[in-house]
Structure formats: structure tokens, C-alpha cells
Amino acid sequence: MERIIEEIREDLSRRLAVAADRLADRTLAEDPAYAALLGRAELRERIHDTLHQAVEGLLRGARGLPVELAGARAVGALRAEQGLPLASLLRTHRRGGLLLWQSLTDAVTAHDRAALPALLPGASVLWDVVDQMTDAMTESYRRTETAHGDRDRERRAALLDVLLAGAEGPSATEEAAAAAAAQLGLPERGRFTVVVLAAEGSGAPPAPSAAPTPAPGSGVASSPRVLWRFRADGEVGLVELGHHPLESVRDLLAPLGVRAGVGPVVTAPAELARAHRLAALALRTAPESEGPRTALLDERLPAALVAAQAELAGRLRQVVLGPVLALPAEDRRTLLTTLGTWLACQGSTTDAAQRLYCHRNTVSNRLRRVEQLTGRSLSDPRHVVELALAHAAVLQRVEAESVMRPAAPGSRTGRTGRTSRTPGGTARRSPRRPV
């Protein structure tokens, strides 16, 4: 076979040039991806080179030598960098293999038809060469594509950090935020917010891209676009709300089953760092003991105010609820749980009794004791505000302590090893119910 190819080499070279022309024209006519990427001259030259590399590989394979695959790897890497779909690359490569065999048989037939039987054993060698070149090209393509994807993810994470963390100085913040937003495809003005997920969440956030836009008139509303930033202490999402209300974020996060804090709506990318800080503050108002929930900052401003002022929160706990906190653990837990349930039920003793599985008179007696111990009246709106803020401060302290304290042996813990606790500091005994 090697002798036959040497004898027809000149004719084969001419036929391969024609085959390269035909394949280039067909590829550009049938494959829009190639047509958008390459001109005819460049594509034809690359096809011609690949065909000659396959012929050399056939000769080396016939001699029992390894096929040179550097050229195939270079093509795979180049096309991945250019963004050509792998399917397009492989389709053209397979067609090239067929044209090569056709050119080879035509050249042998023209030279000496009687020599065709001697060429047939070379078919298996040729297709083995083509397969090796295809595998090398594919492997190089995918390796390059993976590296390119890693670079894109790192670049995207850095751009999100600029928006979520801010820069030094107001002017620097605005300039850096505008540049980062433009590269992420965000508008200069719009409606944005930030979501912070608790680290103990097990649900994976949705894909960091815009949801597909439904067909006009379909009656299906699109979802807000979310760009996620993964961190060791929890995920952060930049939400482009568009025309959606802020409350739609709650529906977006509901399937994840996690605790989340949502910042306020802002209208410019430079304001996203502030929205991020406030979203983290909102998350602090949603104790882990209450289970998965989405806390919107604007709905939890009193608790957020307490969370933002640690020193004043400590004074509030001591001044308002100090006598209750000084009680034995069981009494403390009972009174604080009753007070918190009554507040959650908007001052309804009947509803609180149903949630606590006790008689309403029992709730009334407990609340009367809270009034006696604190010197605050639950019929005075000013005193109710003080008690509500002090109760929020107690919840937040218990939450912070449960994060830092290792779980006791035999205690009921969640995925993060945290113990579910009531404001009294004792393990919850009754079934968890939504509040």
C-alpha cells in the first residue's frame, strides 16, 4: 500500500485540493456556525492541511508507527477558543475522511485499476487514523472548553464581587460598578435586589442565568434573572427584578427550602453593595429555629434595627426582659415562648392558645406574669413595641450562641450540627409549627 500511495502521490495531491474546495463550499453552505466564523480561504486551507495529515498518518500506520496528532489537537483547541460547536467540527472532519478515501480510490483507479485490491487492507488503517485524529481533536476541544469555562466563571465571580462588595470611594464605586454591570449584561438603571442564603441550606441555587422568555401572549410570566455567587459562608444572589415585585423573590426561593435574607430594591448597580449588606442583616432576623423562610428586610425592619445595634440590643434585653431572663430555665422558656407566640398572632390570645396547645386562660395568665415582671403593659402600644424589640433581641442572641456552641451529645441537630433552641435556651419539645 505504501508503494501504491507513493506512485500516485502527485495525482492524489491534486485530488485532495479539489476535495478541500468541495468540502469548504459545502460546509459554508450548510453550517451557519462555520459561515459566521471563518472565510472560505481559511477554512479551505485548514481542511487541505488536515487531509494531508491523514495521508501521512496512513503511511505511518502502515509502517506500524504512531500517528502524529499534534495538528489535530491544535485544531480542536483553536475551534474551542473560537466558539465553534463541537458537532460542527466533527461533522466536517467525518466528511473529510470520506472524501479522502474517495480521492484515494479514484487516484489508484486512474493509475492502475488492478492495484485496487492491494489498497483495500489500507481502509481499516485509514479509518483508525481518522478515529485517532477525531479523538485527539475532541479531547483537546473539551479540555480547552473546560479551561475557558473556568476562566469565564472566575471572571464572572470577580465582577460580582465588585458589585456586591463595592470599591474604595464613591466615584470609584460608581465607575467600577458600572463597568462590572456592563460586562455582566446588566442595565445601567433598573430594579435590583440581593439575596443572601444561610450556609446550612442544602438546596442548590438555580442556574445563574436569565430564565427563558416565554412566547408573547402565552400568559406565562418570566422569572427574575439571578446571578449567583458561591461562598463558603453561604450563597449570594444578585437579582435583576425587572417588572417583577420584590415579593416574587420569595416564590423564586421557596423550592430551595432554605433561610434567606432579601435586601431592598435599588435602581443602580453602584447601590448593590448596600443592598448586599442589608440582605445579610435581613437574614439575621430569621432565626434557624423558625425553619426555612425568606426574610424581606422591608418586612422586618424592627428586628433588623435590633440586629444592627448589638450593644443597644444587649441593653434592651436586660432593661426590658431582665427579670424574665433571670427566671429558672423552664419558666423563662415558657414565658418567652408565650410572649413570642402572642406577638406573632398579632395580640390574639385565642390564636396564641391554639398554637401553644393550651387554654386561652393559660396564655392570659402567662402574659399577665410577663407584665408584672417587666413593668410593661400589653395594652400600651409603647410597651408592646419595647417588648417586641426586646424579644427579637433575645431570639437573635440565642441564635448567635447556637451557632458558636458545639452540639451537646444526644441533642437534636440539623445539617450544620446546630441545636434547635427556644428563647429560653432549652431544647424545643413540642413539634415545630409555622409562625
Side-chain angles (χ1 to χ4, degrees):
M1 183 181 63
E2 183 179 355
R3 178 185 59 79
I4 297 174
I5 294 178
E6 288 297 335
E7 291 176 356
I8 63 170
R9 182 177 287 274
E10 185 176 345
D11 184 30
L12 179 60
S13 181
R14 288 194 298 269
R15 293 178 186 275
L16 292 182
V18 174
D21 288 334
R22 289 170 53 195
L23 184 54
D25 290 339
R26 180 180 179 183
T27 299
L28 294 175
E30 297 180 0
D31 195 326
Y34 263 110
L37 186 65
L38 298 173
R40 183 184 185 281
E42 181 181 354
L43 178 57
R44 188 262 179 204
E45 180 181 358
R46 181 60 64 181
I47 292 173
H48 190 254
D49 290 345
T50 300
L51 293 175
H52 277 284
Q53 290 170 20
V55 172
E56 294 302 319
L58 174 60
L59 293 173
R60 291 179 64 85
R63 300 171 192 153
L65 299 175
V67 179
E68 177 55 57
L69 299 173
R73 295 191 183 98
V75 171
L78 176 63
R79 296 299 180 242
E81 288 286 354
Q82 293 174 330
L84 182 75
L86 180 58
S88 295
L89 177 62
L90 296 180
R91 186 186 307 113
T92 299
H93 189 68
R94 287 193 297 269
R95 288 173 175 174
L98 291 172
L99 285 175
L100 173 56
W101 179 248
Q102 181 181 338
S103 299
L104 188 58
T105 56
D106 288 347
V108 172
T109 300
H111 174 70
D112 182 5
R113 179 179 293 272
L116 276 176
L119 181 64
L120 292 179
S124 61
V125 179
L126 175 61
W127 291 115
D128 180 63
V129 170
V130 172
D131 285 345
Q132 289 186 55
M133 294 178 66
T134 300
D135 291 344
M137 191 180 300
T138 302
E139 180 183 0
S140 179
Y141 182 101
R142 288 176 173 159
R143 185 166 54 246
T144 302
E145 186 179 45
T146 299
H148 193 273
D150 290 342
R151 291 196 301 270
D152 283 347
R153 283 188 290 273
E154 291 175 3
R155 173 176 169 275
R156 181 174 159 277
L159 293 172
L160 284 172
D161 284 343
V162 170
L163 293 174
L164 297 173
E168 296 297 329
S171 61
T173 299
E174 292 180 6
E175 293 174 3
Q183 295 182 65
L184 288 170
L186 298 173
E188 293 182 5
R189 305 292 295 182
R191 296 178 66 251
F192 312 96
T193 191
V194 175
V195 173
V196 175
L197 304 188
E200 78 270 10
S202 64
S209 61
T213 303
S218 64
V220 180
S222 61
S223 299
R225 179 190 182 199
V226 186
L227 300 177
W228 289 102
R229 177 69 170 102
F230 298 91
R231 299 173 179 272
D233 57 348
E235 291 89 355
V236 180
L238 189 167
V239 185
E240 183 184 356
L241 288 167
H243 65 279
H244 298 278
L246 181 64
E247 291 74 17
S248 65
V249 177
R250 183 175 280 119
D251 297 331
L252 184 70
L253 299 178
L256 303 182
V258 296
R259 289 189 305 123
V262 182
V265 176
V266 296
T267 58
E271 300 173 334
L272 285 166
R274 176 173 62 87
H276 180 201
R277 292 192 297 271
L278 294 176
L281 186 61
L283 178 60
R284 291 170 58 188
T285 71
E288 184 181 355
S289 58
E290 296 181 3
R293 63 165 49 198
T294 298
L296 273 61
L297 177 78
D298 291 350
E299 295 178 351
R300 304 176 72 88
L301 290 174
L305 185 63
V306 172
Q309 298 289 334
E311 184 176 358
L312 290 179
R315 290 299 302 160
L316 191 64
R317 285 191 299 267
Q318 189 59 39
V319 171
V320 178
L321 288 175
V324 176
L325 296 176
L327 294 173
E330 183 64 20
D331 287 345
R332 180 173 69 242
R333 181 194 67 81
T334 299
L335 294 186
L336 288 174
T337 300
T338 301
L339 174 61
T341 305
W342 182 81
L343 291 169
C345 292
Q346 301 177 2
S348 171
T349 303
T350 300
D351 291 346
Q354 290 177 350
R355 291 196 182 187
L356 293 170
Y357 303 102
C358 63
H359 196 277
R360 66 184 307 274
N361 289 342
T362 302
V363 174
S364 297
N365 291 335
R366 293 174 183 173
L367 294 176
R368 193 175 302 114
R369 190 179 178 198
V370 170
E371 291 179 314
Q372 294 170 349
L373 288 168
T374 63
R376 268 78 176 173
S377 172
L378 292 176
S379 61
D380 187 331
R382 293 174 302 174
H383 290 173
V384 173
V385 170
E386 287 184 351
L387 287 166
L389 293 177
H391 187 268
V394 171
L395 287 179
Q396 291 170 15
R397 184 188 65 175
V398 171
E399 176 73 7
E401 290 177 350
S402 70
V403 171
M404 300 302 296
R405 183 189 303 116
S411 64
R412 180 167 58 88
T413 60
R415 287 182 297 273
T416 60
R418 301 179 185 177
T419 304
S420 175
R421 295 186 173 274
T422 64
T426 59
R428 182 186 296 269
R429 296 193 216 173
S430 61
R432 178 182 295 174
R433 296 177 60 83
V435 176

